[in-house]
Amino acid sequence: KQEVTQIPAALSVPEGENLVLNCSFTDSAIYNLQWFRQDPGKGLTSLLLIQSSQREQTSGRLNASLDKSSGRSTLYIAASQPGDSATYLCAVLNNNDMRFGAGTRLTVKP
Amino acid sequence: DGGITQSPKYLFRKEGQNVTLSCEQNLNHDAMYWYRQDPGQGLRLIYYSQIVNDFQKGDIAEGYSVSREKKESFPLTVTSAQKNPTAFYLCASSIGALGANVLTFGAGSRLTVL
């Protein structure tokens, strides 16, 4: 059964810093991996979707990479802003079964 | 605007009561899902439906029931058999199977048992 882990559980950085969020998974036979953003008390918003054949995806200041062989994905946020403060979750899809990590709660301080 | 509407946003229930959470989408998506989110845990799948009049149990279906009579609607009933129902409930949808399609989420419903 796929297990998805996100470390650290919480991260606080000063505004303007570049940062990396980590996601690891135990079964490398994935179909795709998604990164989501969740604001407090809200639903999830999809940020990036990486298919298993891809190595990375970019959207604005966000870049997500995927290394299936090592069971890892990273979400890189460039030039962080206070508006980036949220919880970031990754989700891995195997055989139409999607598993979510518990998320990393990011705080960007002005 | 196309999207998913969940209601109510907040709900309080006394022990022994059944409650129903509403989920409506106008995205013309075929598949719909219900997840439960607890603090410090990843989302867990309760039920999902790929087409009208068909649904499947997820990992934690016990104490819950659903129906899919219309494409745009997928209500979730939390029954008295669910022993620990206090949680944040999220409804989601996708165009088709999850393989190549992103999930779109509603804003969630927070259920508290008094």
Side-chain angles (χ1 to χ4, degrees), chain B residues 52-65:
Chain B
V52 175
N53 292 323
D54 185 58
F55 48 82
Q56 306 296 327
K57 292 182 179 180
D59 296 326
I60 55 167
E62 185 174 353
Y64 299 97
S65 66

Side-chain angles (χ1 to χ4, degrees), chain A residues 3-60:
Chain A
E3 293 184 7
V4 182
T5 304
Q6 292 186 250
I7 296 174
L11 180 65
S12 180
V13 301
E15 181 178 4
E17 206 169 274
N18 301 327
L19 61 99
V20 174
L21 305 180
N22 298 296
C23 173
S24 62
F25 46 94
T26 55
D27 183 353
S28 62
I30 67 170
Y31 195 91
N32 65 38
L33 183 146
Q34 274 188 71
W35 282 94
F36 293 89
R37 169 183 172 138
Q38 185 177 30
D39 292 292
K42 305 289 186 181
L44 279 65
T45 300
S46 181
L47 297 172
L48 291 164
L49 169 67
I50 310 177
Q51 300 292 352
S52 63
S53 58
Q54 298 174 320
R55 296 299 299 270
E56 64 178 345
Q57 284 284 341
T58 299
S59 176

